[in-house]
């Protein structure tokens, strides 16, 4: 992808729409074809086949064909155009879209977040601050109601997780139905080909598709947009040809009368067939979910200017063909292709189905990553596949689980109609979740009248509920698949979130008092050994119980001790210069600090991040600027343990690095900036090859002896080595707990903890420097 647009998407603070040039907007609109519209544009492959797979028969008066086309037209117009393009796309979170963006907006405007370790300092983030309009009376009432009842907050989280589970189900079903529909076109050219051969070819393509995921979509992204554009050109051209050749009057179906006539003539069979018509809007949610990679205007231009009219021409063309060829309903798309261009269109259709599947798989990876940030999914490995394009990730465990499930669906069902029954239910459920969350955004975030929000909910919710009712009827015919997947993944997510929350509550209740810390030396004969000790904890205040457990069994710890907390905040991205919060624990002579490292729900924890050096630099800046103006005491927190000042480096100058050619490649030199240098726009620091780093204190007369001494101790401790202390916890339910809680904690949560990645792997901690402290948590 183009570098200019790539840098635009990777920005943590998106520029205002009017500041983006027309060239960039058009370039983003072009690129969006390959990422956003692959799934939506391949729907003509299977919509008519799924719709007429039931008891509806095509009659001579074309009432069924005209009624279905009328439903397709108004569904495509109302849901993607009116709902998403004109309303939902505006509910972005700093340029990000999707279910978690809506949830994040709600959590920031009302205290609805169930993330346990939130701080007041988080509200000072540049991506957190918002200037909403004045509150309405109804908005204040609803906000207080949600904040007052924790059960309502839990219900809101469950709704969000339900949408996420359906997106995962979408990631299983989309590749299966898209690839199988595309490959089934072979049977039009070779009618005697057995269905098992088609299924086998589809399985081979699916295995290849999932096997290439670890390379990342950026390797072949330049091919995606041309393929989808070529596909849209093919289906629209074929549609125009069929309209002219078979039935130029097919456009009369745009009258809503034919929807009424369809229900009047087909009755309950027509209502059941809505589950097939629903498939014409599959992939619509991608316009909102992938908003962060593009912009509102670029997505609107691409959809309304190209995708929407091409899809209408394609569906009208198929309807015109069916009006004269009623026996070809099972392969309506491929049968409608003129023979001279059949094989080129077949190749483009197969490639387009692969592109559409790729986009949904990537969206599934992104959803799982966001669940990790919310503490609602077991720890898995997240790999960033692009150095230039932010947000492209690969999760190995999820990739192979999706492949196994996708093959099972393809081999088990062997029919796009049955898969379509399951697919439609997953798609419309996600849309209904988006409608419910957007309704809350209208009241709480946009602060419009509750009457306007109810109109939005009733209008779009009633349409989506109608489609859901038709899809539920087909649960025995394949619709059970997304329900089964959702139940499994929902159980995993909720159990993990419940166990993680209970573990945090135990840490919070059993944290060590400051009084115990101050009497540490005399009571236990503590020895301070050289080096830096990093104590990982989920607490943002207080001393974790793991530290007292460690000291009690081994009365020695490092000369410089840092309590490190890595946490998520309800924002999509956090700028690097706002990521660290540094504070002091206890008196200065104890050389104990607290470091809170904050990530947004779309931020990536890079494995190659030079964490140790970045931490020492931030500690050095904190020591030099402690108590002075450049530091913002935005999160000074007072607890029963004593005062802990956590300060943000938001306004401090970042340290600049330069490379010199005459340096020893085995050593790097980093000069700690002087106190006055922090206010300069260009601070002097030299960094050479990153194998060994040596920090130096600047020879500045403005440094006080106490600050110079503390910096010297910090540098000496860093050179002596860094040790990582992590808790190896065993979580068990109390004996007085209910049977359900014992099952959730002792069996389900324990099983998930044993089979997911350990904390040291997830945090990329070097094993040679790792110290694990075992503890039992009775929750």
């Amino acid at each position: 992808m183009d570098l200019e647009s790539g840098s635009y998407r990777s920005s943590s603070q998106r520029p205002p729409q009017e500041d983006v040039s027309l060239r960039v907007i058009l370039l983003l609109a072009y690129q969006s074809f390959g990422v956003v519209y692959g799934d939506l544009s391949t729907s003509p492959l299977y919509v008519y086949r799924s719709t007429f797979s039931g008891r509806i028969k095509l009659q001579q008066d074309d009432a069924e064909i005209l009624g279905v086309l009328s439903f397709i037209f108004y569904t495509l117009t109302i849901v993607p155009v009116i709902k998403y393009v004109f309303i939902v796309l505006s509910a972005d979170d700093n340029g990000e879209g999707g279910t978690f963006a809506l949830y994040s907006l709600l959590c920031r405007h009302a205290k609805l977040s169930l993330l346990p370790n939130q701080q007041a300092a988080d509200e000072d983030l540049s991506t957190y601050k918002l200037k909403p309009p004045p509150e309405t009376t109804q908005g204040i009432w609803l906000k207080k109601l949600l904040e007052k009842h924790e059960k309502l907050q839990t219900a809101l989280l469950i709704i969000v997780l339900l949408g996420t589970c359906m997106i995962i189900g979408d990631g299983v079903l989309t590749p299966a139905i898209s690839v199988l529909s595309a490959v089934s076109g072979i049977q039009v050219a070779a009618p005697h080909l057995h269905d098992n051969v088609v299924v086998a070819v589809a399985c081979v393509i699916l295995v290849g598709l999932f096997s290439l995921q670890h390379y990342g979509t950026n390797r072949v992204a330049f091919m995606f947009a041309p393929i989808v554009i070529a596909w849209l050109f093919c289906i629209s051209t074929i549609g125009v040809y069929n309209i002219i050749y078979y039935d130029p009057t097919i456009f009369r179906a745009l009258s809503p009368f034919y929807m009424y006539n369809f229900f009047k003539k087909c009755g309950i069979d027509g209502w059941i067939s809505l589950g097939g018509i629903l498939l014409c809007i599959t992939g619509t949610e991608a316009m909102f979910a992938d908003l962060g990679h593009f912009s509102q205007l670029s997505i609107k231009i691409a959809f309304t200017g190209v995708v929407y009219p091409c899809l209408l021409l394609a569906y009208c063309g198929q309807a015109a063909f069916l009006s004269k060829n009623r026996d070809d309903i099972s392969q309506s798309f491929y049968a409608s292709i003129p023979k001279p261009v059949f094989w080129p269109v077949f190749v483009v259709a197969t490639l387009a189905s692969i592109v559409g599947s790729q986009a949904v798989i990537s969206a599934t990876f992104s959803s799982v990553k966001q669940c990790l940030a919310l503490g609602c999914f077991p720890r898995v490995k997240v790999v960033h596949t692009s150095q230039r394009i932010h947000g492209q990730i690969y999760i190995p465990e999820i990739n192979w689980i999706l492949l196994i499930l996708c093959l099972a669906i393809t081999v088990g069902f062997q029919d796009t109609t049955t898969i379509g029954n399951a697919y439609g239910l997953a798609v419309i459920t996600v849309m209904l979740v988006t409608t419910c969350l957007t309704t809350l955004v209208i009241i709480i975030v946009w602060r419009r009248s509750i009457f306007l929000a109810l109109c939005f909910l009733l209008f779009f919710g009633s349409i989506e509920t109608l489609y859901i009712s038709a899809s539920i009827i087909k649960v025995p015919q394949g619709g059970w698949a997304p329900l089964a997947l959702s139940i499994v993944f929902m159980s995993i997510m909720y159990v993990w979130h419940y166990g993680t929350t209970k573990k945090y509550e135990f840490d919070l209740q059993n944290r060590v008092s400051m009084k115990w810390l101050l009497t540490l030396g005399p009571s236990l004969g503590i020895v301070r050994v050289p080096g830096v000790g990093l104590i990982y904890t989920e607490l943002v205040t207080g001393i974790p119980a793991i530290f007292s457990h460690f000291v009690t069994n081994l009365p020695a710890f490092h000369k410089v001790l840092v309590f490190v907390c890595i946490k998520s905040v309800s924002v999509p991205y956090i700028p690097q210069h706002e990521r660290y919060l540094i504070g002091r624990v206890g008196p200065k002579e104890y050389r104990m600090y607290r470091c809170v490292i904050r990530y947004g729900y779309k931020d990536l924890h890079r494995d190659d991040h030079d964490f140790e050096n970045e931490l020492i630099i931030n500690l050095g800046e904190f020591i030099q600027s402690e108590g002075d103006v450049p530091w913002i005491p935005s999160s000074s927190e007072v607890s029963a343990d004593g005062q802990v000042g956590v300060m943000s480096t938001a306004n401090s100058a970042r340290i600049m690095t330069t490379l010199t050619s005459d340096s020893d490649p085995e050593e790097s030199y980093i000069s700690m900036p002087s106190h006055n240098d922090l206010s300069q726009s260009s601070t002097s620091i030299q960094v050479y090859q990153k194998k060994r780093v040596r920090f130096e204190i600047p020879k500045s007369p403005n440094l006080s002896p106490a600050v110079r001494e503390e910096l010297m101790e910090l540098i000496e401790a860093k050179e002596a080595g860094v040790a990582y202390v992590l808790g190896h916890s065993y979580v068990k339910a109390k004996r007085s707990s209910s049977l359900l809680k014992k099952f959730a904690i002792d069996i389900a949560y324990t099983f998930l903890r044993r089979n997911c990645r350990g904390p040291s792997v997830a945090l990329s901690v070097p094993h040679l420097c790792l110290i694990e402290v075992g503890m039992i948590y009775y929750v």
Side-chain angles (χ1 to χ4, degrees):
M1 290 190 180
D2 186 80
L3 179 60
E4 182 178 358
S5 62
S7 62
Y8 169 73
R9 288 193 304 276
S10 63
S11 173
S12 60
Q13 286 184 275
R14 302 174 65 86
Q17 189 69 42
E18 60 270 13
D19 293 344
V20 182
S21 66
L22 179 62
R23 175 179 175 274
V24 173
I25 291 174
L26 293 178
L27 183 61
L28 291 173
Y30 165 76
Q31 292 175 345
S32 69
F33 286 107
V35 177
V36 177
Y37 302 111
D39 185 15
L40 183 62
S41 64
T42 54
S43 297
L45 286 170
Y46 43 78
V47 168
Y48 282 105
R49 180 178 181 176
S50 298
T51 302
F52 291 106
S53 62
R55 290 179 291 182
I56 298 181
K57 304 299 179 184
L58 300 182
Q59 305 298 329
Q60 292 297 325
D61 59 357
D62 293 337
E64 294 81 9
I65 295 175
L66 294 173
V68 168
L69 179 58
S70 185
F71 267 105
I72 290 174
F73 169 74
Y74 283 103
T75 303
L76 271 174
T77 303
I78 292 174
V79 178
V81 178
I82 299 177
K83 176 187 170 183
Y84 279 89
V85 171
F86 289 105
I87 301 176
V88 175
L89 284 180
S90 301
D92 66 298
D93 180 13
N94 289 285
E96 292 296 324
T99 304
F100 280 90
L102 296 174
Y103 182 67
S104 173
L105 279 175
L106 293 171
C107 289
R108 296 214 304 275
H109 285 79
K111 297 178 180 179
L112 306 178
S113 177
L114 294 178
L115 290 173
N117 50 5
Q118 300 304 290
Q119 298 170 276
D122 299 336
E123 299 179 9
D124 295 329
L125 289 166
S126 58
T127 51
Y128 196 104
K129 293 179 179 178
L130 298 168
K131 295 181 179 179
E135 285 188 301
T136 61
T137 306
Q138 300 94 334
I140 295 175
W141 172 81
L142 181 61
K143 178 180 175 181
K144 290 182 177 179
L145 179 67
L146 292 173
E147 290 177 344
K148 182 179 179 181
H149 299 283
E150 188 175 347
K151 290 184 179 180
L152 293 178
Q153 300 171 20
T154 303
L156 181 63
L157 177 62
I158 290 175
I159 291 174
V160 173
L161 294 181
L162 175 62
T164 305
C165 292
M166 287 297 178
I167 290 175
I168 296 175
D170 199 4
V172 173
L173 298 168
T174 297
I177 190 173
S178 298
V179 174
L180 190 58
S181 297
V183 174
S184 64
I186 300 176
Q187 292 180 312
V188 175
H192 301 294
L193 195 66
H194 198 275
D195 290 342
N196 292 340
V197 177
V198 176
V199 173
V201 173
C203 290
V204 171
I205 294 176
L206 289 172
V207 171
L209 174 64
F210 283 96
S211 299
L212 294 175
Q213 291 301 312
H214 68 280
Y215 289 110
T217 57
N218 61 302
R219 300 285 180 91
V220 291
F222 71 96
M223 295 177 55
F224 285 5
I227 289 173
V228 175
I229 291 175
W231 168 250
L232 290 170
F233 173 77
C234 288
I235 62 176
S236 59
T237 304
I238 294 171
V240 172
Y241 169 81
N242 288 330
I243 292 170
I244 296 173
Y245 187 81
Y246 291 106
D247 187 3
T249 66
I250 198 67
F251 289 109
R252 67 185 187 274
L254 303 186
S255 169
F257 164 77
Y258 289 97
M259 291 192 293
Y260 165 77
N261 190 47
F262 175 75
F263 273 140
K264 181 180 178 181
K265 189 169 184 178
C266 300
I268 191 171
D269 293 334
W271 170 59
I272 294 174
S273 69
L274 291 178
I277 297 173
L278 163 65
L279 299 179
C280 72
I281 54 174
T282 56
T284 301
E285 186 72 21
M287 287 196 295
F288 185 46
D290 292 326
L291 180 61
H293 297 292
F294 305 99
S295 66
Q296 289 186 31
L297 187 56
S298 64
I299 289 180
K300 290 177 180 179
I301 290 174
F303 180 76
T304 57
V306 180
V307 178
Y308 178 66
C310 287
L311 287 175
L312 288 183
L313 289 174
Y315 287 117
C316 289
Q318 281 194 58
F321 172 80
L322 287 174
S323 66
K324 306 299 182 183
N325 302 271
R326 293 176 174 81
D327 295 333
D328 293 326
I329 188 63
S330 61
Q331 289 288 355
S332 60
F333 175 78
Y334 283 109
S336 68
I337 300 175
K339 291 184 178 180
V341 296
F342 177 85
W343 288 110
V345 174
F346 172 78
V347 172
V348 175
T350 304
L351 293 175
S353 66
I354 293 174
V355 171
S357 302
Q358 171 64 60
V360 175
I361 294 169
S362 299
T364 304
F365 291 157
S366 180
S367 297
V368 172
K369 165 66 178 64
Q370 292 167 5
C371 284
L372 280 171
L374 276 177
C376 295
F377 205 89
R379 290 181 294 266
V380 291
K381 183 180 182 180
V382 179
V383 180
H384 191 219
T385 59
S386 175
Q387 296 294 329
R388 190 157 49 91
I389 304 173
H390 193 94
Q392 292 191 356
I393 59 175
Y394 166 67
I395 303 177
E397 295 94 334
I398 300 300
N399 183 67
W400 302 122
I401 291 174
L402 290 179
L403 172 60
I404 294 172
L405 293 175
C406 193
L407 291 176
I409 291 291
T410 305
V411 175
F413 290 161
Q414 298 188 2
D415 179 28
T416 56
T417 301
T418 309
I419 300 175
N421 295 338
Y423 188 27
L425 183 58
V427 168
I428 198 64
T429 303
V430 176
M431 291 183 178
L432 184 59
V433 168
T434 299
T435 299
C436 295
L437 294 177
T438 305
T439 302
L440 293 177
V441 168
I442 293 173
I443 301 173
I444 296 176
V445 181
W446 295 349
R447 296 179 179 177
R448 302 296 179 87
S449 68
I450 196 169
F451 174 76
L452 184 65
L454 286 177
C455 289
F456 173 86
L457 177 64
L458 292 175
F459 180 69
F460 294 106
S462 59
I463 295 173
E464 290 157 357
T465 303
L466 176 65
Y467 279 117
I468 284 181
S469 65
S471 299
I472 289 177
I473 295 296
K474 297 185 177 182
V475 167
Q477 290 81 38
W480 57 267
L483 294 178
L485 290 173
S486 297
I487 291 172
V488 172
F489 281 103
M490 192 87 159
S491 301
I492 291 173
M493 290 180 183
Y494 192 78
V495 166
W496 185 265
H497 177 75
Y498 178 76
T500 303
T501 303
K502 290 298 180 183
K503 182 175 175 294
Y504 180 83
E505 291 175 357
F506 179 90
D507 275 332
L508 198 62
Q509 295 169 1
N510 293 272
R511 55 183 177 178
V512 181
S513 66
M514 188 65 67
K515 181 180 179 181
W516 177 86
L517 179 66
L518 295 176
T519 58
L520 204 57
S523 61
L524 294 176
I526 296 297
V527 177
R528 302 296 292 267
V529 298
V532 178
L534 304 182
I535 311 292
Y536 279 83
T537 175
E538 295 181 2
L539 296 177
V540 293
T541 59
I543 310 299
I546 180 180
F547 179 65
S548 64
H549 193 68
F550 173 73
V551 172
T552 302
N553 291 276
L554 182 65
F557 57 89
H558 299 82
K559 285 188 175 180
V560 174
L561 202 66
V562 185
F563 296 97
V564 180
C565 174
I566 299 178
K567 71 167 193 172
S568 295
V569 184
S570 297
V571 294
Y573 304 107
I574 295 179
Q576 182 64 31
H577 65 275
E578 298 180 2
R579 193 173 301 282
Y580 286 80
L581 293 175
I582 307 293
R584 190 183 297 277
V585 179
K588 283 189 176 183
E589 59 270 18
Y590 275 58
R591 304 296 188 249
M592 299 171 69
Y593 310 92
R594 184 182 308 282
C595 175
V596 180
I597 308 170
R598 305 176 292 183
Y599 287 93
Y601 58 84
K602 281 215 162 187
D603 275 323
L604 292 170
H605 301 235
R606 295 178 181 271
D607 292 341
D608 60 350
H609 182 58
D610 193 5
F611 170 70
E612 292 181 8
N613 295 331
E614 185 74 18
L615 176 62
I616 296 301
I617 290 172
N618 277 273
L619 287 174
E621 290 180 353
F622 167 75
I623 292 170
Q624 294 175 79
S625 57
E626 188 177 14
D628 204 281
V629 177
W631 289 86
I632 305 175
S634 58
S635 61
S636 181
E637 299 177 1
V638 181
S639 67
D641 297 330
Q643 183 169 344
V644 181
V646 183
M647 304 184 184
S648 168
T649 58
N651 291 345
S652 65
R654 298 304 296 163
I655 299 177
M656 300 180 64
T657 60
T658 58
L659 295 175
T660 58
S661 57
D662 58 347
S663 64
D664 182 357
E666 292 298 322
E667 290 195 0
S668 304
Y669 295 88
I670 294 186
S671 174
M672 303 297 295
S674 66
H675 181 68
N676 290 342
D677 287 340
L678 288 172
S679 60
Q680 302 296 325
S681 59
S682 59
T683 6
S684 165
I685 260 215
Q686 297 180 19
V687 176
Y688 307 128
Q689 286 287 27
K690 181 191 159 187
K691 283 198 175 182
R692 182 182 172 191
V693 177
R694 179 181 297 175
F695 294 86
E696 293 183 348
I697 301 176
K699 299 177 181 179
S700 171
N702 297 319
L703 283 180
S704 66
V707 170
R708 186 177 295 275
E709 178 186 359
E710 190 169 0
L711 286 174
M712 182 60 69
E713 291 185 14
L714 178 64
I715 293 173
E716 290 175 352
K718 173 62 173 66
E719 292 178 351
V722 178
Y724 297 77
V725 182
L726 273 70
H728 190 80
S729 56
Y730 300 89
V731 183
K732 294 184 178 181
K734 296 178 180 177
R735 291 184 178 180
S736 58
S737 302
S738 63
L739 290 176
L740 182 61
K741 182 178 179 180
K742 287 181 179 179
F743 173 81
I745 297 296
D746 295 344
I747 298 177
Y749 183 71
T750 301
F751 174 82
L752 293 175
R753 283 181 61 86
R754 288 178 177 175
N755 290 276
C756 72
R757 290 181 176 266
S760 59
V761 177
L763 297 171
S764 301
V765 174
H767 289 283
L768 293 176
C769 307
L770 175 62
I771 301 174
E772 288 192 317
V773 181
M775 277 194 67
I776 297 179
Y777 289 70
Y778 288 100
V779 298

